[in-house]
Amino acid sequence: MFKNSKKLSRSDSSASATSEELEEQNQRIAAGADNLLRLCQTVNQAQASTSNLKSLKDLGGVKGLASALFTDLSRGVELPTVEARRDAFGPNSLPSAPRKSFVELFIDTFDDATLQILIVSAVVSLAVGMYDDPTAGYVEGCAILAAVLVVSFVTAANDYQKESQFRELSATHDESVDVVVRRNGVYWQIAVTEIVVGDVVCVETGDEIPCDGIVISQDGLQVDESALTGEPIDIDKNAESDPFMLSGCTVVAGS
């Protein structure tokens, strides 16, 4: 059902929703995607933890937010709703920036000051050479221009190759990093990009937080947020005073 997914263990034996209830959930998720996104944004404003905490409490805390997202805190999301969630909210990945073509990279090389000086020198050399010797005076200027074109072509080719390698490495990294989520009361190991809105994600010491989220339960959880704030201070996380987990930060203690 999931790409590279792996069932780990069952977490509880509570009853799952009926097929009719799941179908209704899918319809409500699809119909209310925009409202649910705005709801999530109210508790995920940048650099506004106090305001976010107030908004979360207004929603009824973690339980209220989970209810709005059709998530059972003990079982996680239901498997049949995963695709509907992904269709409604998109994958857990940032869109890639448009790639520059080889021609664009080639043109960009002429922004280099050294090449600009060489081009001016070539034009001057051509003008002076043709004035002094109309028969062979163009040779030096053309040689400089040819050198400029060769340098620009090689630079553009290297940049194009490096960008291709970087995109391949980024895609490989995203696919190779796995996280543990709870769905249907079962622990699953899936790729980071397979996470959907409403998932119950499990993290422990050393893990990089794969997405923005809210703490449901924790055991001595501390997070290094220096990647975002620049402050080398481990932050205690709990469901009461600071439940906000930020993507890209690292869990330094607890789970």
Side-chain angles (χ1 to χ4, degrees):
M1 184 172 291
F2 309 109
K3 182 181 179 181
N4 298 325
S5 66
K6 184 179 183 182
K7 184 187 290 186
L8 300 179
S9 65
R10 180 171 294 277
S11 64
D12 67 68
S13 57
S14 58
S16 61
T18 65
S19 59
E20 292 79 8
E21 291 172 335
L22 292 174
E23 181 62 28
E24 181 183 358
Q25 276 191 24
N26 285 339
Q27 293 175 356
R28 293 174 67 181
I29 289 171
D34 291 339
N35 290 333
L36 290 176
L37 278 176
R38 284 194 291 269
L39 178 68
C40 293
Q41 290 169 353
T42 61
V43 296
N44 195 28
Q45 299 293 326
Q47 304 296 322
S49 58
T50 302
S51 174
N52 291 341
L53 186 58
K54 182 180 182 302
S55 298
L56 180 61
K57 290 181 178 178
D58 291 342
L59 289 172
V62 175
K63 291 183 179 179
L65 180 60
S67 176
L69 295 175
F70 308 104
T71 298
D72 186 318
L73 294 180
S74 62
R75 291 177 51 83
V77 301
E78 298 293 333
L79 289 178
T81 70
V82 170
E83 288 305 320
R85 293 170 186 271
R86 185 173 292 113
D87 292 340
F89 305 111
N92 182 44
S93 60
L94 294 174
S96 300
R99 179 173 182 169
K100 286 188 175 182
S101 66
F102 180 82
V103 174
E104 290 175 315
L105 291 173
F106 181 76
I107 293 173
D108 287 345
T109 62
F110 293 103
D111 291 335
D112 184 79
T114 302
L115 290 183
Q116 293 173 352
I117 292 172
L118 287 174
I119 291 172
V120 172
S121 299
V123 172
V124 172
S125 179
L126 276 172
V128 174
M130 293 297 292
Y131 178 79
D132 292 340
D133 185 2
T135 304
Y138 63 88
V139 174
E140 184 176 347
C142 288
I144 296 174
L145 286 177
V148 168
L149 290 175
V150 169
V151 170
S152 296
F153 182 86
V154 171
T155 301
N158 286 337
D159 290 343
Y160 188 84
Q161 183 180 20
K162 288 178 181 178
E163 185 173 355
S164 298
Q165 292 174 344
F166 176 77
R167 288 176 178 269
E168 290 176 2
L169 287 173
S170 297
T172 301
H173 176 267
D174 289 341
E175 293 177 357
S176 63
V177 177
D178 291 336
V179 294
V180 176
V181 299
R182 193 160 65 218
R183 294 174 176 173
N184 266 60
V186 176
Y187 289 102
W188 295 80
Q189 184 173 316
I190 64 173
V192 169
T193 53
E194 296 291 327
I195 295 174
V196 295
V197 172
D199 257 330
V200 175
V201 181
C202 305
V203 295
E204 57 186 14
T205 303
D207 289 347
E208 181 177 304
I209 300 171
C211 57
D212 291 349
I214 305 292
V215 173
I216 297 174
S217 62
Q218 54 83 31
D219 181 15
L221 183 62
Q222 290 185 325
V223 175
D224 177 7
E225 296 183 348
S226 59
L228 297 180
T229 65
E231 296 290 337
I233 302 174
D234 297 338
I235 308 298
D236 293 323
K237 295 291 182 178
N238 55 70
E240 291 75 33
S241 60
D242 189 358
F244 303 106
M245 303 285 278
L246 303 177
S247 177
C249 298
T250 304
V251 178
V252 295
S255 60

